[in-house]
Amino acid sequence: MDEMEIFRRMALAIAIGALVGVERHWRERDEDEGARTAGIRTFTLIGMLGGVAGLLERLLGPAGAPPGLVLVGFLVTLTAVFALFQYREEVAQNRFSATAVVAAMLTFALGALALVGDMALASAGGVVLAVILASREFLHQGIKRLRWAELRSALILLALTFVVLPIVPSQPVGPFGGVSPSKILVMAIVLAAISFCGYIAVRLLGDARGELVAGTIGGLISSTATTVANARRSKQGPAVPALAAGAVSAGGVSLLRTAFLVVSLLGPLAPTLLPALIAGAVAMFAMAVLLARANAAGGEGREASRRTPKNPFDLDSVFKMALLLVGVAFAARVASQLWGTGGLYAASALSGLADVDAVTVTVAGMLPTLDPQVAAMALGLAVLTNMLAKAVYASVFGARDFAFTLWGATGLAAVAAAGAHFALR
């Protein structure tokens, strides 16, 4: 390592310390001089100290020094001294927190990493550390708003991802090519994680206000279930436009979910499917906003806006999604092998009566051996069937105005999707 490389790495170590120091100093900027343990100067020096320790480790390594001895010695000394000063400050101010000590240790470690390891990783770690420190209020408020059911769902997601998934067989099981249990579980985890992240985002940014927001949350879980629920409620109350806005917004979210899955799983089909999906979603969102504004003038639907949506990551929901994925995947595979393309189209249309995600996953698994045009047609048929099915459900379960609005939104979205598709061909 030449001198210029050393200067560059040492500058990065110092910059990491300065970045963390700015955040630490800003947080205690109103403290009197000498009343804080560490500010911008101290943390800048800690980053530099890490860089010096890393440089000494590099220089003494070839001389036969035990690997890591210099770094460990510096880190232990720094931690002991810093913790002592921090303890005196905490006692004087009658508060208790180990954040500053841990931040100092990480700043030192990242400074050392800048000298002995990957510079990109060290710089990224410094930015992440500063962001976490600066997000204290946001994170604390988020924890206060979280409920046990949501925390439990997050733990289930982690357990499924890091405990269950590694032991699930990856080889296909069953006749007609079988189904890979691990791929099904991965898709179930991905779909549930999308819903869970959307739910948590709304919870952290504020309680659900109005049927428009509630419908958007419902669309992350199941747009079909949201439509049926709102349709039934439309017969019981006067806020039909608000309920219709929620159902239409859920349909728009469903199209965006499908677009996301297409990009993630069906990359070759993205140029064919994305314009239609996005155009249909935009049309539905525009319709939902107009309906919500029409309802806002009358102040209706406020009671519904206080309704807490169902947690999207209940254990039952996870297994139901997994079973649906398995069933649809198997049915589509059997149908396509027994009856060819027509069988796949039939399976796609039938599954679209309840869900589009399962068809997307199934087509993704068959894509390597499936004609791209057939795959695009199968997924498009499932999306269209799902949109029409929700309009039919609105007619069966909902009030007349609710059903009329859903049919109008469905037609508008279909026209917009068709227009976008043929305009870009």
Side-chain angles (χ1 to χ4, degrees):
M1 184 167 57
D2 57 22
E3 290 186 357
M4 185 58 66
E5 179 74 8
I6 294 175
F7 282 129
R8 289 176 54 241
R9 289 178 175 271
M10 186 63 71
L12 176 59
I14 296 172
I16 292 173
L19 177 63
V20 177
V22 168
E23 191 282 332
R24 293 284 86 189
H25 199 115
W26 181 87
R27 189 168 294 281
E28 299 183 356
R29 62 191 182 281
D30 295 329
E31 298 287 342
D32 296 332
E33 196 66 30
R36 70 176 71 88
T37 298
I40 183 172
R41 292 183 303 169
T42 302
F43 272 94
T44 301
L45 291 174
I46 290 174
M48 185 176 181
L49 180 64
V52 171
L55 180 59
L56 290 175
E57 181 73 24
R58 271 183 175 272
L59 295 177
L60 296 178
L69 180 62
V70 175
L71 291 177
V72 172
F74 270 86
L75 179 60
V76 170
T77 304
L78 169 67
T79 303
V81 173
F82 193 91
L84 176 61
F85 277 90
Q86 185 67 24
Y87 172 74
R88 293 174 61 87
E89 178 185 340
E90 301 292 349
V91 171
Q93 299 181 358
N94 193 28
R95 65 182 186 184
F96 301 93
S97 173
T99 302
V101 177
V102 176
M105 296 170 64
L106 284 171
T107 303
F108 174 88
L110 292 170
L113 180 62
L115 263 292
V116 301
D118 191 322
M119 294 178 64
L121 184 59
S123 60
V127 173
V128 171
L129 174 58
V131 169
I132 293 175
L133 292 172
S135 304
R136 184 182 71 175
E137 287 76 13
F138 177 79
L139 294 174
H140 287 186
Q141 289 297 322
I143 291 297
K144 289 181 180 179
R145 292 182 180 181
L146 288 178
R147 301 169 180 174
W148 165 243
E150 297 158 358
L151 180 59
R152 180 191 62 191
S153 298
L155 294 176
I156 292 173
L157 176 60
L158 292 174
L160 288 174
T161 304
F162 298 105
V163 178
V164 179
L165 183 59
I167 63 176
V168 173
S170 59
Q171 295 299 321
V173 177
F176 297 99
V179 178
S180 172
S182 64
K183 290 184 178 179
I184 296 300
L185 182 57
V186 166
M187 289 302 104
I189 291 173
V190 169
L191 296 174
I194 294 172
S195 298
F196 182 74
C197 290
Y199 178 91
I200 293 299
V202 174
R203 290 280 292 120
L204 293 179
L205 299 176
D207 294 335
R209 299 290 183 180
E211 294 298 337
L212 184 62
V213 175
T216 302
I217 301 171
L220 291 170
I221 305 168
S222 172
S223 61
T224 305
T226 302
T227 301
V228 173
N230 282 16
R232 289 174 174 171
R233 293 173 56 210
S234 68
K235 288 188 175 182
Q236 304 171 0
V240 174
L243 292 168
V248 174
S249 178
V253 171
S254 176
L255 292 177
L256 288 184
R257 280 166 56 95
T258 304
F260 175 81
L261 291 174
V262 167
V263 173
S264 303
L265 306 176
L266 301 168
L269 302 184
T272 303
L273 297 174
L274 278 187
L277 291 172
I278 294 176
V282 169
M284 283 200 158
F285 284 134
M287 184 76 167
V289 170
L290 292 177
L291 290 169
R293 288 182 177 178
N295 184 80
E300 299 173 347
R302 291 177 181 172
E303 180 180 355
S305 68
R306 294 191 291 269
R307 172 173 50 87
T308 303
K310 181 184 177 183
N311 192 328
F313 205 94
D314 288 334
L315 190 59
D316 290 344
S317 300
V318 173
F319 281 106
K320 286 178 181 178
M321 177 60 72
L323 290 174
L324 177 61
L325 290 173
V326 171
V328 172
F330 183 76
R333 189 178 299 275
V334 171
S336 62
Q337 292 191 20
L338 292 181
W339 300 294
T341 302
L344 177 61
Y345 292 159
S348 299
L350 290 174
S351 63
L353 297 175
D355 182 78
V356 179
D357 296 336
V359 178
T360 308
V361 174
T362 302
V363 171
M366 301 170 62
L367 189 58
T369 59
L370 190 64
D371 183 82
Q373 292 185 351
V374 174
M377 180 66 71
L379 185 57
L381 184 60
V383 171
L384 180 60
T385 301
N386 186 253
M387 293 171 60
L388 294 175
K390 286 181 286 191
V392 172
Y393 298 151
S395 302
V396 173
F397 300 108
R400 179 182 299 179
D401 291 344
F402 182 90
F404 180 79
T405 303
L406 261 292
W407 277 107
T410 300
L412 179 64
V415 171
H421 175 72
F422 289 108
L424 296 178
R425 290 189 62 178

